Amino acid sequence: GAVVSQHPSWVICKSGTSVKIECRSLDFQATTMFWYRQFPKQSLMLMATSNEGSKATYEQGVEKDKFLINHASLTLSTLTVTSAHPEDSSFYICSAPRTSGNNEQFFGPGTRLTVL
Amino acid sequence: GQQVMQIPQYQHVQEGEDFTTYCNSSTTLSNIQWYKQRPGGHPVFLIQLVKSGEVKKQKRLTFQFGEAKKNSSLHITATQTTDVGTYFCAGRRHGGATNKLIFGTGTLLAVQP
């Protein structure tokens, strides 16, 4: 099946620093990718839709200037958490949908961010 | 906004018992998908239902989409320890953006051997 990778798998950073998370579709092209945030024992909350070659679409309540998304190619989307604070600590997961078949979404393994 | 709720939040069963999780949306869905997330892992696609009243089976798992396309259920017969994890439904709002999924609140299943 399709594979989506994320890097890094985990990161610990100091408050005020910026962290970049990469999401790659390894064997298919993805014009659209999705970024989710998941707090412990909670559901996945959609943060934004990453669109190749155009601006990302953010969900209500998600600050676009804090969570910068760049979808520079058909296989790569990046999420940058700028000036991270402890409340940004979470599990960030990207997904890329297959446009054929079931339209299932393939999820990356996730990135666990801890902000000290 | 659109909300997708699941009940129960948590269920603990003995191995061999059946399990059901229910998914309810505040709005009509164009389709619904089910995902399983193992502890520490990421969601993995199980199935998609599209038609009103549709029922699909995968071995011990039975998935159903409601007639009004606002609810769905997942039933596991004779649970096994490998069934442990959180089960999420995820729906696309009827008339909404293609591929944009709203996830349910999830049901955590614990299976005692």
Side-chain angles (χ1 to χ4, degrees):
Chain A
V3 177
V4 174
S5 70
Q6 267 184 254
H7 177 80
S9 56
W10 60 270
V11 57
I12 301 173
C13 68
K14 292 182 178 180
S15 186
T17 60
S18 294
V19 175
K20 179 185 283 188
I21 303 170
E22 295 185 348
C23 176
R24 293 180 186 272
S25 57
L26 298 184
D27 57 353
F28 67 102
Q29 294 181 335
T31 55
T32 302
M33 290 184 177
F34 298 96
W35 286 96
Y36 295 86
R37 181 166 52 182
Q38 186 177 35
F39 292 106
K41 298 184 180 180
Q42 293 189 21
S43 185
L44 285 81
M45 299 302 297
L46 179 64
M47 299 175 66
T49 303
S50 174
N51 304 299
E52 189 270 335
S54 64
K55 291 182 179 180
T57 306
Y58 290 81
E59 295 300 302
Q60 192 172 13
V62 178
E63 299 175 55
K64 62 180 181 180
D65 294 330
K66 179 162 183 67
F67 299 99
L68 301 178
I69 291 174
N70 184 19
H71 196 146
S73 77
L74 288 171
T75 58
L76 173 64
S77 174
T78 61
L79 168 68
T80 301
V81 183
T82 62
S83 187
H85 291 284
E87 57 265 30
D88 298 323
S89 298
S90 188
F91 192 50
Y92 291 87
I93 313 178
C94 68
S95 74
R98 262 273 173 77
T99 53
S100 59
N102 279 326
N103 281 323
E104 66 183 275
Q105 291 202 23
F106 295 94
F107 284 84
T111 297
R112 188 160 302 281
L113 170 64
T114 301
V115 185
L116 302 177
Chain B
Q2 179 184 2
Q3 292 186 343
V4 182
M5 305 297 292
Q6 283 181 250
I7 55 171
Q9 279 188 302
Y10 170 77
Q11 181 129 33
H12 181 199
V13 300
Q14 294 283 337
E15 190 173 21
E17 292 183 337
D18 293 355
F19 159 76
T20 303
T21 171
Y22 299 91
C23 172
N24 293 285
S25 169
S26 57
T27 59
T28 302
L29 303 171
S30 59
N31 57 49
I32 197 157
Q33 298 181 353
W34 283 90
Y35 290 81
K36 177 183 178 181
Q37 185 177 24
R38 292 182 183 274
H42 60 277
V44 175
F45 175 83
L46 295 176
I47 208 160
Q48 175 173 277
L49 304 170
V50 179
K51 300 177 182 177
S52 170
E54 187 172 12
V55 178
K56 286 188 176 180
K57 291 190 175 183
Q58 285 181 352
K59 296 184 180 178
R60 295 179 294 105
L61 277 62
T62 302
F63 304 84
Q64 187 169 12
F65 200 9
E67 294 290 340
K69 301 185 79 172
K70 294 179 72 174
N71 55 66
S72 181
S73 65
L74 158 58
H75 180 80
I76 301 179
T77 304
T79 54
Q80 300 175 359
T81 54
T82 53
D83 295 327
V84 165
T86 302
Y87 291 86
F88 292 100
C89 62
R92 290 197 177 88
R93 183 171 58 87
H94 184 69
T98 303
N99 291 329
K100 178 178 172 179
L101 288 175
I102 303 300
F103 276 76
T105 48
T107 296
L108 173 60
L109 171 64
V111 180
Q112 184 169 354

